[in-house]
Amino acid sequence: MKLRLHLVVDPMGWLCISMVFGIWLYNTFFVPKLVLLPHYDEGHIPWALVVCYYLASALCLMALFRASTADPGRLPVDPHIPHSEREQWELCNKCNLMRPKRSHHCSRCGHCVRRMDHHCPWINNCVGEDNHWLFLQLCFYTQVLSLFTLVLDFCQYYYFQPLTRLDQEKFTTRHELALLRVSALMGVVMFGGMSSLFYAQMAGILSDMTTIEKMSQFSSETYGTKRSWQWALAEVCGTRWKLLWFLPLRSRQPLHGGHHYRSHV
């Protein structure tokens, strides 16, 4: 898979991803300006804390960009079907094209996606075989950034030493609503929502089930065999090197022997 852009023309999806980007922008620039950098300038916190916050923010943005623009595994109009795998392909009743089993036709995107998990409007893209690992990264780094923001908001009012170069009464009057309420509320919502989504995605990966398969009427017949978490994540991420699982700026290559198909009994 090359690092090429894959854009979905969907106004509703553009609106959703703009909202996600707006939340990221708010917490990335507002929280450091009012909390992180002032306390660093007065020596209350180490430089490593500032670097870690901006690193988590950068990784979150890169995962969002890659997940929303990476090809999820779109099938070409005239796919090459290996002779040994012809029995594992079927005809899509919506676009009348051949596709491997466990693929799904996305009505919003208008094409079939290999091992499609679901269509996510918040990234304006399908989550499929080739970008599932990026969607996992997005969930993970959003949790980290949201929790980091919540901790900073809490420490600003209950732990950090008062800023000597700042009028505390004026600061509270001007920024308490934006910092304590808006930022903390967004942190709670994003951390709670992404934590539950991340758990659901990990459970599906470990049980070898996509979200669509769980919701289908044949879900009781499509359960795969239990696999070790290392192999399950290695297959999704396309590498056995665990450190590379956390890097969004790379390409994914399917593991040899990682593809297996199941048929309904």
Side-chain angles (χ1 to χ4, degrees), residues 5 23 26 43 56 67 118 138 141 193 199 217 229 243 245 247 255:
L5 298 181
I23 294 175
Y26 182 91
H118 68 285
L138 176 61
Y141 288 125
Y199 173 80
Q217 59 180 336
W229 66 270
L243 181 61
W245 296 353
L247 300 180
L255 295 180

Side-chain angles (χ1 to χ4, degrees), residues 78-93:
D78 187 18
H80 171 71
I81 306 176
H83 182 74
S84 59
E85 298 181 5
R86 289 185 178 181
E87 294 183 358
Q88 307 297 339
W89 287 62
E90 60 188 9
L91 183 67
C92 176
N93 57 8

Side-chain angles (χ1 to χ4, degrees), residues 131-182:
N131 72 337
H132 201 166
W133 63 286
L134 292 167
F135 186 73
L136 284 179
Q137 285 186 2
L138 176 61
C139 294
F140 175 76
Y141 288 125
T142 302
Q143 291 178 78
V144 173
L145 186 61
S146 300
L147 183 60
F148 213 148
T149 301
L150 284 173
V151 171
L152 287 175
D153 290 344
F154 176 84
C155 291
Q156 167 66 24
Y157 287 92
Y158 300 105
Y159 182 75
F160 287 154
Q161 300 178 23
L163 296 170
T164 58
R165 305 176 188 174
L166 189 68
D167 186 343
Q168 286 295 127
E169 183 177 353
K170 184 178 180 180
F171 177 86
T172 302
T173 303
R174 294 183 59 184
H175 300 299
E176 181 178 12
L177 176 63
L179 180 63
L180 186 60
R181 299 181 184 179
V182 177

Side-chain angles (χ1 to χ4, degrees), residues 12-250:
M12 182 58 67
W14 291 341
L15 176 62
C16 291
I17 197 173
S18 297
M19 293 174 60
V20 174
F21 179 75
I23 294 175
W24 172 87
L25 197 65
Y26 182 91
N27 284 314
T28 300
F29 286 92
F30 187 80
V31 174
K33 179 181 178 182
L34 296 181
V35 180
L36 207 58
L37 297 180
H39 283 283
Y40 169 72
D41 290 338
E42 296 196 9
H44 299 163
I45 58 176
W47 63 268
L49 192 64
V50 179
V51 172
C52 288
Y53 188 87
Y54 278 109
L55 179 62
S57 178
L59 289 171
C60 184
L61 180 62
M62 285 189 289
L64 174 63
F65 175 78
R66 288 295 318 282
S68 60
T69 59
D71 187 348
R74 177 177 179 176
L75 287 167
V77 177
D78 187 18
H80 171 71
I81 306 176
H83 182 74
S84 59
E85 298 181 5
R86 289 185 178 181
E87 294 183 358
Q88 307 297 339
W89 287 62
E90 60 188 9
L91 183 67
C92 176
N93 57 8
K94 295 182 179 179
C95 58
N96 294 321
L97 297 176
M98 295 299 295
R99 65 184 186 186
K101 291 184 178 180
R102 304 192 70 185
S103 300
H104 187 78
H105 185 90
C106 179
S107 57
R108 186 174 293 272
C109 296
H111 53 73
C112 289
V113 176
R114 294 192 310 273
R115 193 166 177 166
M116 177 177 168
D117 188 83
H118 68 285
H119 181 92
C120 181
W122 299 107
I123 64 172
N124 192 31
N125 200 0
C126 290
V127 177
E129 184 178 78
D130 287 341
N131 72 337
H132 201 166
W133 63 286
L134 292 167
F135 186 73
L136 284 179
Q137 285 186 2
L138 176 61
C139 294
F140 175 76
Y141 288 125
T142 302
Q143 291 178 78
V144 173
L145 186 61
S146 300
L147 183 60
F148 213 148
T149 301
L150 284 173
V151 171
L152 287 175
D153 290 344
F154 176 84
C155 291
Q156 167 66 24
Y157 287 92
Y158 300 105
Y159 182 75
F160 287 154
Q161 300 178 23
L163 296 170
T164 58
R165 305 176 188 174
L166 189 68
D167 186 343
Q168 286 295 127
E169 183 177 353
K170 184 178 180 180
F171 177 86
T172 302
T173 303
R174 294 183 59 184
H175 300 299
E176 181 178 12
L177 176 63
L179 180 63
L180 186 60
R181 299 181 184 179
V182 177
S183 178
L185 178 61
M186 288 192 302
V188 170
V189 172
M190 294 299 290
F191 181 76
M194 285 299 176
S195 296
S196 60
L197 181 58
F198 184 76
Y199 173 80
Q201 289 293 308
M202 288 297 298
I205 290 174
L206 296 180
S207 63
D208 197 18
M209 288 278 299
T210 65
T211 301
I212 293 176
E213 291 170 347
K214 290 180 180 179
M215 297 174 62
S216 69
Q217 59 180 336
F218 301 107
S219 59
S220 61
E221 301 176 0
T222 58
Y223 275 100
T225 57
K226 290 285 185 178
R227 304 171 295 170
S228 67
W229 66 270
Q230 295 97 329
W231 172 253
L233 288 176
E235 184 181 359
V236 170
C237 297
T239 178
R240 295 183 179 89
W241 294 91
K242 294 182 177 61
L243 181 61
L244 296 180
W245 296 353
F246 298 92
L247 300 180
L249 293 180
R250 66 175 180 86

